Each structure stands twice: as structure tokens, then as C-alpha cells.
């Protein structure tokens, strides 16, 4: 029976792929226009304002202790 001789893999360059550096660069990214810059700025300012607003509105809820000046008494607690 005819036996085929083992040959080295013809794709030896795959092993060297991590050392290969191409001199071809990807195309440069397009510059952002004025509308894009303004939109990104507005989105950032809106997010920052939302965080500050949530902090300001949440601060009274986070306070604890007997700082409240108005106390509520029920009629049943007075014992009448």
C-alpha cells in the first residue's frame, strides 16, 4: 500500500503572525463636527445636572435623628 509522507504545514506564516507588523494603517477617524460636539456636551451636562439634582433632593431623606421640629401626636396617645 502506498503511504504518503508527512509534509510540514504550508501555513507556517500563521505561527509568525504575532511578530508580523503591517505598514498599512487604517483610515483616520472622521473629525467630529460642531453639532456632534455640542450634542455630546449637552448630554454630559444633562447627566451631571441629573446627578446633582438627585443628590440635592435625596439629602433630606438621608438625614436621621430628632431634627424634625414638628411632632405628630395622635389623639389615642393623649389618653382622652
Amino acid at each position: 500500500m502506498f503511504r504518503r509522507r508527512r509534509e510540514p504545514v504550508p501555513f507556517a506564516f500563521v505561527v509568525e503572525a504575532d511578530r508580523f507588523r503591517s505598514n498599512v494603517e487604517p483610515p483616520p477617524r472622521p473629525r467630529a463636527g460642531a453639532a456632534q460636539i455640542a450634542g455630546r456636551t449637552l448630554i454630559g451636562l444633562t447627566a451631571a445636572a441629573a446627578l446633582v439634582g438627585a443628590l440635592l433632593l435625596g439629602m433630606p431623606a438621608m438625614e436621621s435623628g430628632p431634627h424634625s421640629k414638628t411632632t405628630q401626636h395622635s389623639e389615642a396617645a393623649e389618653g382622652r
Side-chain angles (χ1 to χ4, degrees), residues 3-71:
R3 293 191 78 174
R4 192 169 156 183
R5 209 172 61 170
R6 285 270 186 188
E7 296 178 8
V9 178
F11 303 106
F13 64 88
V14 175
V15 177
E16 299 175 3
D18 58 342
R19 291 182 281 161
F20 179 72
R21 296 284 182 208
S22 176
N23 61 353
V24 179
E25 294 183 15
R29 292 177 57 186
R31 294 182 64 94
Q36 268 189 328
I37 293 173
R40 290 176 185 171
T41 304
L42 286 175
I43 289 175
L45 288 174
T46 303
L51 290 172
V52 169
L55 182 66
L56 289 175
L57 291 175
M59 285 299 286
M62 294 174 64
E63 291 180 2
S64 63
H67 294 293
S68 62
K69 296 183 180 185
T70 59
T71 56

